[in-house]
Amino acid sequence: MSDDVILRIDNLRKHFIVGRKGIIKREPITVKAVDGVSFDLQRGETFGIVGESGSGKSTIAYITMGMYLPTSGTISFNGRDLFERGDRRPLDLRKEIQIVFQDPGSSLNPRRTIRQILDLPLSIDQPEKDRLTEIIRLLEMVDQPPEFMHKYPRQLSGGERQIVAIARALATNPSLMILDEPTSALDVSVQGKVINLLIRLQRELNLTYLFITHDLSVMRNLATRVAIMYLGRVAEVAEAEHFFESPQHPYTQMLLSSIPVLTEAEEALRPAQIRSTGEIPSPVDLPSGCSFHTRCPQVMDHCRHVDPLMVPIDVTDSDHIVRCHLFDQPNGQVQS
Amino acid sequence: MTQETPLLDIRDLSVHFHVYGGVLKVLDRINFHVLPGERVGLVGETGCGKTTTMKTILRVLPSPPANIPGGEIFFQERDVLKMSQRELVHMRGQGISMIFQDPTAALNPVFSIGQQLTAVIRYASPENRNLNKNQLRERALQALRQVALADPERLLDSYPVQLSGGMRQRVCIGMALATQPGLLIADEPGTALDVTIQDQVLRLLQNLVEQRGNSFILITHTLGIVRQMTDRVYVMYAGNMVEVAPTRRLFTNPLHPYTQGLMDAVPRLTGGGISEGIPGRIPDYMDPPSGCRFSSRCPHAMPVCSREKPPVFRVEGPADESHEVACFLYDDAQKVSNYKAEAVPV
């Protein structure tokens, strides 16, 4: 792997105070939405984050965008701290990171035309340029005719709206795009068009994608590396192929065996012996030790007390790391 | 194939909606049946009329705007469209139960689970109205136990907000089965849930349906779920039934270009990239094409497709399986024989 890191997330934490308990002390009740997450994005790759609702995957995206300040930890972009000036992120850094949201029905202003929607980021980023030409160029880039700019979002189908949202994200020439469930709200017959557009744009513009989804089948076909999250923590990171062919963490195995599939070849990939059991615990009251121990089929006694560290699955493969006591932990807690 | 009398039989049903600006011709002469004990899937994308079909069966579509210009729906050999209000209440109480997509919206937030469950049981049939408090409570507990919910006693006094999404959907399943319905309809039962929870809920539903030998209709847009849970599948596109086949057959040998496009569009866990999907968009229901409603997006469209509505062709597969498709591609004998040559042995 090349060592051209564009985004480095280091021990990121985001705790939300959701209420207080006690009459005198008023101790805060916190939700640990993101709790000690670290990973690097290589330039030009598609790094996927998978997780169920409440796993913290969108919170990571929003922190990277600057919508929240982290509780602790750092994110650096091309070596530059994204929070060097707190929430006052300089414009030249803002334009580099753009986001596409899940639901284009609510992320586009219904009272503006497509032209107005695309004009806003341009007016901030390149006020001196001929913005009309630039809008036409943006539409061309996403395979839409220039007449498109006179329409309102309600006149477009869901897929077309998402394409406009992608064009808007491209307006400032970003180098990193965060895709937060970009196809979850779309029908499967139009999903392919949007994903293939994203793949083509990545190639043409040398974009790096941070791709967030709960759909593992989409992830398989798009990501170069995948991280799986459970309750605010990363459970496993691997290259996409390894991830799907030899999932190691029991949660990954459970997730893979839960997906409904279409063919027998896919069925063969699912670790069928792991059946989904139990409920996802409340993020307010996380289990002690490994947070997955309440649902894990291979739970051992010390999983309930000791929180495992991220370790490589073996010495030869340092790119495939997993947070689980089934694998050798560095401080001598060797498990067979 | 044995000639059983279907439990539910929809014949040439059309449903229109009269709205400001015109008439939305949503369902267009659809045929659909469910045999006793059969598990039937209904797949299609957003806005194809799946939910409208089910709401028409239960007669819960508000009319106006809905209007039924033609067709018949037989449930247990009685025409639902001609039923009196009293008969309808009886059918909804004991005949057909429904599980909805969003359990949060399906449960009333201001009543406890116990209050809602006992109300359902109490009004399901005239006999149940004579049950006393303890008997009702016992029946409600049974309903919760069969959906594998822990501590049902305490649950009866809880409110929906205190439960997780998966638990709420289990409560809804328990509620739907509490009245011993002849037919169970599940409309996207797992879509609002997380993948691992969806898997649990669907497996529970599958086991219950199998144990009780219930007739079952599963409505969904996720093809993988249909493959896992049904015996026979209907594919719907823009208010038309375009194809129906036994589940295994449909997944190994889809015939209609729409079904083929849809299956092709689903990303695979085995990788290999994602297809472009189906170009174009669903037609306007106010002014649908006079021919095949899929013709404008179809890669195999012929001149006849935009002129005439395709009839249903029955393509006989091996092992006496009936496979029906509404597409002119299967009009001529040659195509049918081509298909036979390609057929996968069962």
Side-chain angles (χ1 to χ4, degrees), chain A residues 104-105 153 156-164 182 185-187 190 194, chain B residues 281:
Chain A
L156 309 180
S157 68
E160 288 168 334
R161 279 183 217 156
Q162 198 58 294
I163 286 172
V164 169
L186 306 179
D187 268 321
V190 293
V194 172
Chain B
R281 58 200 271 192

Side-chain angles (χ1 to χ4, degrees), chain B residues 257-275:
Chain B
Y258 174 66
T259 319
Q260 292 169 350
L262 197 61
M263 288 202 186
D264 204 31
V266 178
R268 302 293 150 92
L269 262 190
T270 37
I274 291 178
S275 90

Side-chain angles (χ1 to χ4, degrees), chain B residues 134 170 247 252 267 321:
Chain B
N134 286 334
R170 282 168 194 260
T247 307
T252 48
E321 286 176 315

Side-chain angles (χ1 to χ4, degrees), chain B residues 101-261:
Chain B
Q101 170 169 357
D102 183 359
T104 311
L107 294 172
N108 191 327
V110 300
F111 290 103
S112 70
I113 301 295
Q115 283 171 309
Q116 298 189 51
L117 253 171
T118 47
V120 167
I121 294 164
R122 183 148 183 258
Y123 292 104
S125 72
E127 309 85 80
N128 286 4
R129 263 166 242 194
N130 304 323
L131 294 175
N132 65 33
K133 236 179 160 177
N134 286 334
Q135 288 167 317
L136 277 173
R137 195 175 164 88
E138 194 43 52
R139 289 276 302 269
L141 282 174
Q142 266 173 24
L144 292 181
R145 279 194 203 108
Q146 68 173 354
V147 291
L149 279 166
D151 202 359
E153 300 269 351
R154 196 173 52 85
L155 263 181
L156 281 185
D157 300 320
S158 325
Y159 287 82
V161 281
Q162 296 170 290
L163 311 184
S164 70
M167 286 165 85
R168 282 182 210 150
Q169 193 62 300
R170 282 168 194 260
V171 168
C172 288
I173 294 173
M175 206 178 268
L177 292 173
T179 59
Q180 318 281 341
L183 174 65
L184 179 66
I185 302 175
D187 188 355
E188 306 269 10
T191 312
L193 308 172
D194 276 315
V195 185
T196 55
I197 306 300
Q198 165 175 291
D199 185 52
Q200 292 173 21
V201 168
L202 293 183
R203 264 189 296 128
L204 170 78
L205 192 57
Q206 193 170 4
N207 289 341
L208 287 172
V209 166
E210 258 163 41
Q211 268 169 31
R212 307 163 55 112
N214 242 341
S215 304
F216 177 55
I217 301 175
L218 176 72
I219 307 173
T220 181
H221 62 259
T222 315
L223 287 165
I225 294 177
V226 170
R227 176 171 178 270
Q228 202 173 303
M229 293 182 67
T230 62
D231 307 316
R232 203 157 57 88
V233 191
Y234 286 86
V235 183
M236 237 179 146
Y237 176 75
N240 286 139
M241 286 293 177
V242 295
E243 184 165 4
V244 51
T247 307
R248 274 201 57 186
R249 166 136 231 100
L250 188 86
F251 280 89
T252 48
N253 210 336
L255 295 182
H256 197 282
Y258 174 66
T259 319
Q260 292 169 350

Side-chain angles (χ1 to χ4, degrees), chain A residues 52-53 160 187 189 191-193 196 217 220-221 260-263 266-267 269 275-280 295, chain B residues 45-46 164 167 194-196 200 203 223-225 227 251 265 267-269 271-278 281:
Chain A
E52 297 181 279
S53 48
E160 288 168 334
D187 268 321
S189 70
Q191 163 176 286
K193 193 175 172 195
N196 284 314
S217 312
R220 172 67 184 94
N221 290 282
V261 294
L262 288 198
T263 59
E266 288 176 282
E267 255 168 29
L269 272 181
R275 277 297 187 191
S276 163
T277 51
E279 294 272 340
I280 303 171
R295 301 174 71 193
Chain B
E45 293 180 287
T46 315
S164 70
M167 286 165 85
D194 276 315
V195 185
T196 55
Q200 292 173 21
R203 264 189 296 128
L223 287 165
I225 294 177
R227 176 171 178 270
F251 280 89
R268 302 293 150 92
L269 262 190
I274 291 178
S275 90
E276 273 289 322
I278 306 170
R281 58 200 271 192

Side-chain angles (χ1 to χ4, degrees), chain B residues 10-24:
Chain B
I10 300 180
R11 296 181 197 154
D12 281 323
L13 178 74
S14 297
V15 174
H16 294 177
F17 289 90
H18 292 263
V19 294
Y20 180 78
V23 181
L24 295 167

